[in-house]
Amino acid sequence: MFKHTHPYEPFLFDEATKLIVGTLPPPRFTIGELKEDDVDFCYGSRNGQLWPILERIFDLKLKYETTTYAAQQRKDFLIRHKIGVCDIVASAEREKIDASDLGMKNIQLRDLVGYLERYKQVDTLLFTGGNSKNGPEYFFRKHLKSYDLKLRLVSNEVPRIHEFNLPDQYSSRIIKTVSLTAPSGAANRAVGSMELYKRLKKKNPNFNTLDFRVMQYRSFFQ
């Protein structure tokens, strides 16, 4: 059994207003066997699409390499735009060493609500996936139950939007959650089946799944 532990602490700071929330990076990040064009930071897998999406939106000119400079580029961007990263899974066990969410067992979650209580400027959680089993929204719903909290539906259109009231010592604040289409190749089939994607693809045969994500992510990150 492989113990898949998250290799990065949450990237949080007092000015953050949004948090990117996923599950775990691929196992090679846990054991430190990165590939040449991986970046040693959150969402740094060469197969992941989050940073290529953000690069398109913000014209970042990022490096894709295992260097301190490449990681610092991403940290600087996040700080500049007041975006933190706090994946919800701390660790899990796997029989097969791969990156599938469904392969995770004996899952330990981070106390994301506790982080929200500490970082009081955060008003939006950007899930890198939806409510399918072992996805970030799925885990967050379970996590909220332990605090006797639950999500309220705001919009059922993809990406689905929810909100919840986070109690405070003196009042409460509303936190919005957005379940973005996962920035991974594994989600391309789901993107291809969406009616909006089909219509856009019909209008422009060159339109692809990365273009679709850039279009979807833009309004929630800018």
Side-chain angles (χ1 to χ4, degrees):
M1 189 71 71
F2 174 69
K3 181 67 175 292
H4 190 179
T5 302
H6 203 300
Y8 305 115
E9 290 296 314
F11 185 78
L12 295 168
F13 48 97
D14 289 339
E15 295 78 16
T17 60
K18 301 175 183 177
L19 294 185
I20 300 169
V21 181
T23 53
L24 283 168
R28 67 180 182 274
F29 283 77
T30 295
I31 61 179
E33 294 184 357
L34 275 63
K35 298 180 180 180
E36 185 176 354
D37 43 357
D38 285 333
V39 178
D40 191 10
F41 185 61
C42 307
Y43 298 91
S45 169
R46 67 177 188 175
N47 306 117
Q49 296 180 335
L50 179 62
W51 287 111
I53 291 166
L54 295 178
E55 183 166 27
R56 286 264 301 271
I57 295 171
F58 293 96
D59 190 27
L60 297 179
K61 298 180 174 60
L62 296 174
K63 296 289 187 182
Y64 292 85
E65 57 193 22
T66 310
T67 62
T68 301
Y69 177 75
Q72 192 62 48
Q73 278 187 306
R74 288 152 176 79
K75 294 175 184 178
D76 291 344
F77 162 80
L78 293 170
I79 292 170
R80 192 163 60 247
H81 291 273
K82 300 181 180 180
I83 302 170
V85 182
C86 188
D87 288 342
I88 195 166
V89 178
S91 67
E93 293 180 345
R94 296 183 181 275
E95 293 181 2
K96 182 181 179 182
I97 302 179
D98 62 19
S100 73
D101 284 340
L102 289 176
M104 294 188 289
K105 298 181 179 179
N106 298 325
I107 298 152
Q108 301 297 316
L109 300 180
R110 284 174 168 163
D111 183 11
L112 189 48
V113 169
Y115 285 118
L116 291 172
E117 290 174 339
R118 178 177 174 185
Y119 294 92
K120 298 184 181 299
Q121 299 302 312
V122 175
D123 58 23
T124 305
L125 303 181
L126 300 169
F127 295 134
T128 58
N131 194 34
S132 56
K133 186 177 180 182
N134 289 6
E137 181 193 324
Y138 172 88
F139 283 134
F140 188 67
R141 286 177 178 273
K142 292 182 66 175
H143 179 52
L144 283 181
K145 285 183 181 179
S146 67
Y147 281 88
D148 198 26
L149 301 172
K150 62 181 180 180
L151 296 178
R152 297 187 299 271
L153 182 66
V154 174
S155 172
N156 204 32
E157 297 292 323
V158 176
R160 292 181 177 86
I161 299 174
H162 296 81
E163 66 181 19
F164 68 99
N165 282 80
L166 182 65
D168 192 275
Q169 184 178 359
Y170 302 107
S171 59
S172 66
R173 76 183 199 264
I174 294 176
I175 308 291
K176 179 173 74 172
T177 72
V178 182
S179 297
L180 298 164
T181 301
S184 66
N188 283 344
R189 181 175 294 181
V191 174
S193 68
M194 293 179 184
E195 289 303 318
L196 176 58
Y197 176 80
K198 290 177 181 178
R199 292 199 301 270
L200 294 171
K201 183 75 171 176
K202 188 174 182 179
K203 289 182 180 179
N204 177 11
N206 293 321
F207 189 78
N208 59 38
T209 56
L210 181 61
D211 295 328
F212 183 83
R213 289 179 175 87
V214 170
M215 180 187 72
Q216 183 189 100
Y217 282 41
R218 188 183 302 275
S219 62
F220 298 105
F221 276 90
Q222 284 189 321

